[in-house]
Amino acid sequence: MDRISCLAFLLYQAENEEIQKAALQLVNGEISIKELKNIPQYLPYIREAEKELKKNTLNTNDVCEFVESYLYIYE
């Protein structure tokens, strides 16, 4: 799984609706991770997601299902 899909999956796990919307925009290519990092309220979530990604404990099937479920669905 690619890094952006994994980060979007991790961000979507947040209990914050704005972060979940940003995760969907990220997975659909409507916004970049660089653009998200420039939004101060998103930065802590992104840093946490990047730390989690480095641990390499993600189930790739879960990430794949997330991408399949939300790719091109977000409006």
Side-chain angles (χ1 to χ4, degrees), residues 2 13 16 19 39 41-42 53 60-61 63 65 68-69:
D2 66 293
Q13 306 307 311
N16 180 313
I19 299 300
I39 303 171
Q41 66 263 28
Y42 292 176
L53 186 59
T60 54
N61 289 331
V63 177
E65 285 178 23
E68 288 174 359
S69 296

Side-chain angles (χ1 to χ4, degrees), residues 5-66:
S5 295
C6 292
L7 286 173
F9 172 77
L10 290 167
L11 289 171
Y12 194 76
Q13 306 307 311
E15 293 182 13
N16 180 313
E17 189 175 326
E18 289 299 314
I19 299 300
Q20 290 175 342
K21 286 180 184 178
L24 296 179
Q25 290 175 323
L26 186 60
V27 82
N28 283 299
E30 296 172 13
I31 195 166
S32 71
I33 196 71
K34 185 177 180 179
E35 290 171 307
L36 284 178
K37 285 182 174 181
N38 287 328
I39 303 171
Q41 66 263 28
Y42 292 176
L43 199 52
Y45 292 95
I46 294 168
R47 285 184 179 151
E48 188 61 35
E50 287 175 331
K51 284 180 190 176
E52 190 63 33
L53 186 59
K54 283 183 182 180
K55 292 180 186 176
N56 200 21
T57 59
L58 285 180
N59 182 330
T60 54
N61 289 331
D62 291 342
V63 177
C64 196
E65 285 178 23
F66 166 76

